[in-house]
Amino acid sequence: MRVMPGARVGTLPTTLVSMLALLAALLVSAIALAPRADAFVYWANPAPDAMAIGRANLDGTGVDESFVTTRKFPEGVAVDAHHIYWVEAYAPEGGSIGRANLDGTGVDRKFIRVRTNTPIEVAVDASHVYWTANCCRSGFFGGAVGRANLDGTDVEEGFIPATDGPVLDVSVDATHVYWTKGRHLMSPGVIRRADLDGTGIDYDFITDVREPQGIAVDAAHVYWTEGSVYPDDSPPTIGRANLDGTGVDHNFIDGFGFHTNAPIDLAVDAGHIYWADPGVIAFTGTIGRANLDGTGVDQAFITPERRHAVAVAVNFSLGKLRRNRNRGTAKLTVEVPAPGDVALAQTKKLKGSELRADAAEKVRLPIKPRGKAKQQLAEKGKAMVRADVTYSPDGGEPTTQSKEIKLIKRG
């Protein structure tokens, strides 16, 4: 049983308390953005009598407690345009990253085997699956952020190693990998960040965080949960900072109680932030929700029958590409869940464009070459370009996704 952020530990020795904090992390469940037009919230339920991935509509209706059933303790959950990913932890023997199709079929519980440490959380972007892992084969406080290709190949269990405390949750955007490092001995908790290739690690990106656990990121901010397993700490909160690490607000969303609710995992979409409260103390799990500015807090937005819920919100997806080989242009399908603006950024190789979505629908952005790409098409008949697409929902924060596109022109 994990030590909840709201549980008081008493006057235990510092080393033992730190060990308890790490044990708590081993049953934490992660969150991540899901670039998909379908409007769903997902969560993991590792309760021994009902191990499954749950799902509900984005408005909180249509709760399905057993959307995907699992065999081992499911923890972190992430979703991309094609699959659901989750952690199955077999502590202390390691574990795996499971995967299923978005309709719940094609379940592969050992899609990626994690053999060195016990996996805890999972995140996904357009190219890779990431996870955090801690304990036990590399030493009690050994851990890492792992990474593999989207097809499960090229597994790097030590993609970003860590030796100075538990690595808890992971999130990713178009330029960086973010993770939370829990308190260890006299070392406080921190939010860390690295480039997508694992280099350029910023060990002190956001410091002095009380037991950070869940983390999420959007186009403007990074969010995290601040738990509380120490007797001198204040009740848990949700923190927020700008993407460059400035503007830190440790109490962005508060009002949580030690023994009533304690957020441990986060997800964010174009309009809301979601969090999971496992309810170990009160024996009731909930998924909370608030507006992106921290208002409109609903502590019990979804109330699953089982505890250890983990929220995963969805956003938009980049779909099929239709090429015009006579002109060397293309149209990229973009699926959005609500009305808003869809824009293609102008680059040295692409012309910018913008379309309006009046409902949850598919729009097709024109992909037209310019500059070097246009020259490459004329000389070689093909050119690789990167399309940066931003979706700005009405009343919500913009989010951006990128896609590598091959343009072809007949000679």
Side-chain angles (χ1 to χ4, degrees):
M1 185 67 70
R2 68 182 296 270
V3 179
M4 285 301 301
R8 295 183 180 270
V9 185
T11 57
L12 296 175
T14 302
T15 301
L16 179 56
V17 173
S18 299
M19 294 171 64
L20 290 173
L22 177 57
L23 290 174
L26 297 179
L27 289 180
V28 172
S29 307
I31 331 170
L33 282 175
R36 173 78 182 168
D38 299 334
F40 295 111
V41 177
Y42 300 82
W43 61 89
N45 173 27
D49 60 340
M51 291 182 288
I53 305 301
R55 190 182 78 168
N57 297 323
L58 205 58
D59 63 1
T61 64
V63 174
D64 184 347
E65 297 278 3
S66 301
F67 179 63
V68 176
T69 57
T70 66
R71 289 177 182 166
K72 296 293 183 179
F73 302 99
E75 298 294 341
V77 180
V79 183
D80 65 13
H82 304 286
H83 296 98
I84 307 164
Y85 306 83
W86 66 92
V87 168
E88 294 209 9
Y90 314 153
E93 296 86 7
S96 64
I97 309 299
R99 190 182 78 166
N101 299 324
L102 287 179
D103 62 0
T105 64
V107 175
D108 183 352
R109 297 182 177 89
K110 296 182 179 180
F111 173 61
I112 299 172
R113 288 301 308 266
V114 182
R115 303 177 185 277
T116 304
N117 290 304
T118 300
I120 304 172
E121 306 284 2
V122 63
V124 63
D125 65 10
S127 303
H128 296 95
V129 181
Y130 306 81
W131 62 90
T132 57
N134 283 291
C135 199
C136 284
R137 297 183 181 181
S138 62
F140 192 80
F141 286 110
V145 175
R147 189 181 77 165
N149 295 332
L150 281 183
D151 62 1
T153 61
D154 291 338
V155 176
E156 299 178 76
E157 293 200 30
F159 173 59
I160 301 175
T163 58
D164 62 340
V167 181
L168 303 180
D169 197 4
V170 60
S171 190
V172 62
D173 63 13
T175 57
H176 293 96
V177 182
Y178 306 78
W179 67 96
T180 53
K181 196 275 296 185
R183 189 188 297 188
H184 168 43
L185 300 178
M186 299 303 294
S187 172
V190 298
I191 310 294
R192 289 176 172 168
R193 188 178 77 166
D195 298 332
L196 286 180
D197 63 359
T199 64
I201 298 175
D202 187 344
Y203 291 94
D204 297 309
F205 179 58
I206 299 173
T207 60
D208 296 324
V209 184
R210 296 176 300 108
E211 281 305 316
Q213 294 189 16
I215 189 170
V217 63
D218 63 15
H221 297 99
V222 56
Y223 309 82
W224 63 90
T225 63
E226 297 210 14
S228 179
V229 298
Y230 289 80
D232 58 341
D233 277 349
S234 301
T237 61
I238 292 174
R240 189 184 76 165
N242 299 323
L243 283 183
D244 62 0
T246 63
V248 175
D249 183 354
H250 292 280
N251 299 295
F252 175 61
I253 298 177
D254 55 17
F256 302 99
F258 276 116
H259 302 295
T260 54
N261 45 27
I264 63 168
D265 295 311
L266 291 176
V268 61
D269 67 8
H272 297 93
I273 181 170
Y274 305 79
W275 58 88
D277 168 19
V280 170
I281 303 301
F283 297 101
T284 56
T286 62
I287 294 172
R289 189 182 78 166
N291 299 324
L292 285 181
D293 63 0
T295 64
V297 174
D298 185 349
Q299 298 281 13
F301 173 61
I302 299 174
T303 55
E305 293 181 2
R306 304 293 179 179
R307 58 193 182 186
H308 292 279
V310 177
V312 178
V314 302
N315 195 9
F316 75 106
S317 66
L318 305 181
K320 294 182 179 179
L321 183 74
R322 293 184 179 180
R323 296 183 180 89
N324 186 326
R325 296 172 184 259
N326 293 322
R327 297 184 176 181
T329 61
K331 287 189 176 181
L332 176 63
T333 299
V334 182
E335 299 180 69
V336 299
D341 297 318
V342 181
L344 174 67
Q346 181 158 307
T347 66
K348 293 181 179 180
K349 289 187 174 183
L350 285 181
K351 295 181 180 179
S353 61
E354 185 171 343
L355 293 174
R356 172 70 185 173
D358 294 321
E361 60 179 329
K362 297 179 182 179
V363 297
R364 291 180 174 85
L365 278 174
I367 308 296
K368 297 181 179 180
R370 66 189 295 260
K372 187 176 180 180
K374 197 170 184 178
Q375 181 180 349
Q376 290 174 336
L377 283 169
E379 295 175 353
K380 300 179 180 180
K382 59 184 178 180
M384 292 299 300
V385 297
R386 169 174 161 159
D388 297 321
V389 180
T390 298
Y391 166 54
S392 302
D394 294 349
E397 294 283 343
T399 54
T400 301
Q401 294 183 49
S402 300
K403 185 180 181 71
E404 295 292 329
I405 293 175
K406 184 178 182 179
L407 294 177
I408 300 174
K409 185 176 183 179
R410 293 192 180 98

